[in-house]
Amino acid sequence: MSDSTGVRTRDRALAACCLFIALAAAALAWRSASLFGMAVDGDSIFYVSAGVGLAEGRGLVTCLDEVFSLWPPLYSTVAAALETVGVDAFRGLRVLHLVAYAATILLTARLCWVLSGSHVAAALAALSAALSARIHEFAILVAAEGFFLPLVLAALLAALDYARQSTRGRFAALVAFSALACLQRYVGVALVASIALWLLAFASGADVRARLRCAALYALTSLAPLLAWFARNRLVEGAWTGGRDPAEQSLGEVVWDALSTLLAWAGPDGWPAWTGWVALGLGVASVAIALRSERTARNAAALALLFAALHLALVVALGARFQMDRVNDRLLLPLLPVSIALVFAAVGALARTRALVAAAAPFVLVALLASASRLLERRALWLTDGAGGFSTRLWREHTVAQELARHALAAPCWSNAPEFVWLLQRRNGRFLRAGAKAWERAGRDAALNGGALVWFQDGGRPKAFPEQLAPFVRVEQLAQSEDGLVAELVAR
């Protein structure tokens, strides 16, 4: 057998192995969301309801009749496309998320292979990504991250391909993946910035001006659709991204949240906290040592590390400037598959002898077993209680939710959980908080055209105030218990 034949055989074996891992992981994810479907939270409803509004010709408007601008439009546009062709958005997204999940695993393996040239390292990277409970979680959650991960990985790989052979087709693919990533998550600008800087330093040709033109053209064309979206937001509501409140956390707190997230990724659940530091240190040391010994992979590793650094810096900067979710798995998730590829590529590059393989094997085995244990524990919860958010027994088996299955309500619907009401009935709503004055304002608004009211509570908490509605509307109670209230509000 010739060397080229042997290489092709190993390449096909790697592709088959990674494909099997990706399909098996997708099958597990399908099963993980089998009880009540994919996990759905308030943000999920805003994304999908805006898509439904677009499909119905009302534009990108959420279930609260608010202009959709807080996030980029790609995910909602996908939901709109599904609704337009007659596919329920949530069912269609469940399938598309599994495709994206499998693509994430395959692209992680591909990136590892490009970094190391090791078939074993690439297969282990695919297995590690498939066993990651964090990546699995976002495969079964209606959220933008599920599509963002494969777009980021595809853009990084497209940049490496373009640097090897600069063709118009490869440049177009690079721009397309990058632009879509920015339209999926605003932090995609870190991806564009990292690739632009990398092209300036490593693109083909010794002419600095040519590299500068290449990087500038790439950045401008990749960001153009996002800039158009910003302009739209500015025109319709006077803010670039819907407006955000100042941050309540200090820079130190945001940095600690980021570091805590990275340590939680590195350390096995239930182990002492110092194991996270040890695992993180071993990973960083392995990558650093591999970069010193493997010159051919330095350019590729530089891109991966530059992206990781800029994404982390941007998330921390935004968290210290604006009020947003605390820096956690969700905001740092794009770093996870890139880190997996880097670490396994480093292990593959360093483990060149039997002695080094024997030394690395226990660490790799412990890491994979810890990931598998964490995933199995989370799946047990998903299978028995639901995938999360509104797709749990707490919500789906609530007395009021059972009543909503029996009564079709008029819109708008006032509720302390209007997103959940929209999920069940697709009735646009208004948020209603506890308090006599809030209920009085709702009554005044309902006096114009009527509507409905759905109130969720647990044993009388929070307290309902139906008597505040009586002076303004006729309240026709459809169901009432200590767990809540369902009523029609009829204008007098």
Side-chain angles (χ1 to χ4, degrees):
M1 180 184 293
S2 65
D3 290 342
S4 60
T5 302
V7 170
R8 287 196 298 270
T9 300
R10 290 192 293 273
D11 287 346
R12 286 195 292 266
L14 172 63
C17 177
C18 292
L19 182 59
F20 173 79
I21 292 172
L23 293 177
L28 284 176
W30 178 269
R31 174 61 178 160
S32 297
S34 60
L35 189 58
F36 300 112
M38 293 182 70
V40 177
D41 58 16
D43 291 353
S44 307
I45 301 301
F46 292 143
Y47 275 118
V48 177
S49 64
V52 171
L54 182 61
E56 293 175 350
R58 295 183 288 108
L60 286 168
V61 179
T62 73
C63 61
L64 300 181
D65 290 322
E66 297 174 346
V67 174
F68 181 86
S69 61
L70 198 60
W71 301 292
L74 181 59
Y75 196 77
S76 296
T77 303
V78 172
L82 292 169
E83 290 282 332
T84 300
V85 298
V87 177
D88 177 81
F90 290 102
R91 293 183 178 180
L93 287 172
R94 186 178 180 187
V95 175
L96 292 179
H97 268 265
L98 295 183
V99 174
Y101 180 41
T104 297
I105 294 169
L106 293 173
L107 292 172
T108 300
R110 176 67 180 176
L111 180 59
C112 182
W113 186 86
V114 170
L115 289 167
S116 66
S118 169
H119 293 78
V120 174
L124 289 174
L127 183 58
S128 180
L131 292 176
S132 170
R134 270 84 176 187
I135 298 177
H136 192 103
E137 177 182 358
F138 286 93
I140 61 172
L141 171 65
V142 178
E145 286 73 17
F147 293 171
F148 188 56
L149 294 187
L151 289 173
V152 166
L153 292 168
L156 294 175
L157 288 167
L160 295 172
D161 282 343
Y162 177 73
R164 281 193 296 270
Q165 185 177 1
S166 302
T167 65
R168 291 182 179 179
R170 294 188 177 195
F171 185 79
L174 171 59
V175 169
F177 287 129
S178 301
L180 289 173
C182 291
L183 292 176
Q184 185 72 358
R185 294 286 289 161
Y186 288 136
V187 288
V189 297
L191 172 71
V192 174
S194 60
I195 293 177
L197 290 173
W198 185 83
L199 287 174
L200 183 59
F202 297 105
S204 300
D207 186 355
V208 176
R209 292 183 178 180
R211 294 202 303 269
L212 181 59
R213 286 195 298 270
C214 175
L217 179 61
Y218 159 74
L220 289 174
T221 51
S222 297
L223 293 176
L226 183 62
L227 294 176
W229 173 251
F230 285 161
R232 172 263 189 189
N233 294 342
R234 187 73 175 179
L235 287 173
V236 298
E237 59 177 6
W240 300 111
T241 62
R244 295 178 184 269
D245 297 327
E248 296 179 356
Q249 287 184 283
S250 67
L251 176 60
E253 290 173 325
V254 175
V255 171
W256 177 248
D257 283 344
L259 180 59
S260 298
T261 300
L262 298 179
L263 290 173
W265 288 356
D269 288 346
W271 287 36
W274 60 266
T275 60
W277 289 99
V278 171
L280 189 61
L282 286 173
V284 172
S286 297
V287 172
I289 295 171
L291 287 178
R292 291 186 63 184
S293 60
E294 297 293 325
R295 295 183 179 180
T296 57
R298 285 184 183 178
N299 289 357
L303 176 57
L305 290 169
L306 183 59
F307 164 70
L310 290 185
H311 182 90
L312 179 61
L314 179 60
V315 169
V316 168
L318 291 175
R321 176 65 179 84
F322 300 105
Q323 180 61 33
M324 50 192 288
D325 293 339
R326 298 192 69 161
V327 175
N328 53 17
D329 291 342
R330 189 166 193 165
L331 292 175
L332 296 183
L333 191 66
L335 302 185
L336 185 52
V338 174
S339 299
I340 289 172
L342 278 167
V343 169
F344 279 96
V347 172
L350 295 176
R352 296 299 190 186
T353 66
R354 290 185 177 181
L356 290 175
V357 170
F363 294 98
V364 172
L365 183 60
V366 168
L368 294 176
L369 289 177
S371 295
S373 175
R374 179 183 290 164
L375 178 58
L376 290 174
E377 182 179 349
R378 296 298 303 276
R379 285 194 78 246
L381 178 63
W382 294 329
L383 291 173
T384 57
D385 192 55
F390 294 131
S391 299
T392 58
R393 293 188 185 277
L394 175 67
W395 284 99
R396 295 304 181 99
E397 296 180 357
H398 194 284
T399 302
V400 174
Q402 302 299 319
E403 292 296 335
L404 288 177
R406 303 185 183 97
H407 305 286
L409 302 180
C413 177
W414 281 265
S415 176
N416 55 345
E419 301 91 347
F420 185 50
V421 175
W422 188 91
L423 176 64
L424 298 181
Q425 295 210 0
R426 293 206 174 179
R427 296 289 189 273
N428 282 15
R430 307 283 187 275
F431 177 71
L432 179 62
R433 59 174 49 87
K437 289 186 178 180
W439 284 61
E440 181 179 328
R441 285 194 296 271
R444 292 181 184 277
D445 292 341
L448 299 176
N449 297 301
L453 184 142
V454 176
W455 187 255
F456 297 87
Q457 60 191 41
D458 180 17
R461 298 183 302 273
K463 183 181 178 182
F465 297 85
E467 65 277 2
Q468 303 299 324
L469 302 171
F472 308 101
V473 293
R474 188 171 73 254
V475 181
E476 297 180 355
Q477 293 189 5
L478 303 177
Q480 184 176 18
S481 72
E482 66 175 7
D483 292 323
L485 170 69
V486 181
E488 289 284 352
L489 306 180
V490 182
R492 295 186 183 278

